[in-house]
Every structure is written in structure tokens, then in C-alpha cells.
Amino acid sequence: MATVAFDAGSTAGPRYTKVAIWLHWLIGLSVIANIGLAMLTEGMGRDTHMAAMGVHKALGMTILALTVLRILWRLGHKAPPLPASIAAWQRAASKIVHFLFYALLILLPLSGWVWMSAAGRGIDYFGLFTIPAITGSDKALADVMHERHELLGLTMLALVAIHILAALKHWLVDKSGVNARMNPF
């Protein structure tokens, strides 16, 4: 099992591996972009909205692939311990939030894929190829998956907001150094 790198200039001690750090930021920024594509283009003209949704779907499938890669990486690379200054309730909250993130990072794109499949469509992957449908055409299933996908998306939005606020609290208020574990620079 690989060990985590230590950054001598950090007050947080051990850091995540560079691969884990870059996957974190790639996935995180992709999720934020995808939420923006879904929400900010809602009231725009049909052509603009449909073009944005094409990118949204392809990016969602990219997020799914990156998440699988991140989980596989994580299985072989232990997370660095939290600083001793982190309260027990925050440690517990961190575990719950991370579990929910991983669940949503898998369920959200899968629900979109099932939705599009049940609607009788594959997913165009940035014009390179089409990801095939995984179910047959089924309007009732498509309607249910549409609702579930939107609910999961709103849950992801709330979780991202909580995560960002917690990171800002650790950085600006607590000055715990915990953020240095995931700093890519």
C-alpha cells in the first residue's frame, strides 16, 4: 500500500497523493460546471439549452468515469489522517459527507443515463462517440428517472455548498491547516 506524501511546510502534516488531489479538483470543478449547465441554461432558448444539455450529459459521464477511477485509487491509497485539532463531531460529519459525495457521484450520472436510455436516447460523448442506452424505451421509467435525477442534483448542490463552506471555515476561521492536504499547489 502506498503512503501519502508529507509536505514539510504544511501545518496539516501528511497530504493526499497528487493523483487523489487532481481527481478531487477535476471532479469538483466538473460537478460545479455541470450544476451550472443544468440550472443556468434552463430559461434559455431551446437550441442553447439543448447544446448545454449535450455537454452536461457528456460531462456527467466523465464525472462517473473519474469517480470510478478515484474510488479505485482510494482503495490502494489511504487518506491522510485529519489534524488532531478537528473535533470528533466534525470527523463524523466529514465521513458522512464524503460517503454521500461518492454515492451521489455515482448515482447522479447513472440516473441521467437511465433517464436518457428510457427516453430512447444514447448519450453523445462530445461528438466522439455515442454511449449506448442501458435500458429499453420506457416513458414511465424516463419520467421517474427525470424526477430522481433532479432531486439528486439538488442534493448534490446542497452538499457542494456545505463542503465549500466547511473548507472556508477550516481555512479562514479555524486556520487548522486541514485544507493543505488537498491543495494542488
Side-chain angles (χ1 to χ4, degrees):
M1 185 168 292
T3 58
V4 291
F6 180 73
D7 177 9
S10 167
T11 58
R15 293 168 40 93
Y16 281 91
T17 63
K18 288 193 184 300
V19 171
I21 290 169
W22 285 104
L23 285 170
H24 168 88
W25 286 101
L26 278 172
I27 293 168
L29 293 172
S30 295
V31 165
I32 291 168
N34 237 11
I35 290 169
L37 282 169
M39 298 182 92
L40 299 177
T41 64
E42 194 65 36
M44 293 184 177
R46 179 167 170 72
D47 289 344
T48 303
H49 179 71
M50 293 309 287
M53 287 300 94
V55 173
H56 173 84
K57 294 170 196 174
L59 190 53
M61 298 309 287
T62 303
I63 291 167
L64 178 60
L66 289 172
T67 299
V68 169
L69 182 61
R70 182 160 184 205
I71 290 169
L72 292 173
W73 184 262
R74 178 69 175 79
L75 291 174
H77 301 81
K78 188 177 179 182
L82 288 167
S85 63
I86 304 298
W89 73 268
Q90 290 176 339
R91 290 172 187 273
S94 173
K95 287 181 185 199
I96 292 167
V97 167
H98 281 91
F99 173 80
L100 291 173
F101 263 129
Y102 281 117
L104 286 171
L105 287 168
I106 291 170
L107 293 174
L108 194 50
L110 281 179
S111 68
W113 191 6
V114 172
W115 169 24
M116 289 300 100
S117 298
R121 292 176 257 166
I123 295 174
D124 175 51
Y125 191 78
F126 298 114
L128 300 172
F129 56 88
T130 299
I131 299 171
I134 55 174
T135 68
S137 189
D138 181 338
K139 178 155 176 26
L141 177 60
D143 290 344
V144 167
M145 293 313 294
H146 177 195
E147 290 176 22
R148 300 245 166 95
H149 186 73
E150 286 188 351
L151 179 61
L152 290 170
L154 291 172
T155 304
M156 178 64 87
L157 176 61
L159 209 56
V160 166
I162 289 167
H163 184 66
I164 291 170
L165 289 172
L168 289 171
K169 177 192 175 289
H170 284 295
W171 179 40
L172 299 172
V173 177
D174 300 343
K175 299 182 186 338
S176 67
V178 73
N179 298 41
R181 299 173 342 135
M182 199 50 88
N183 185 342
F185 303 107

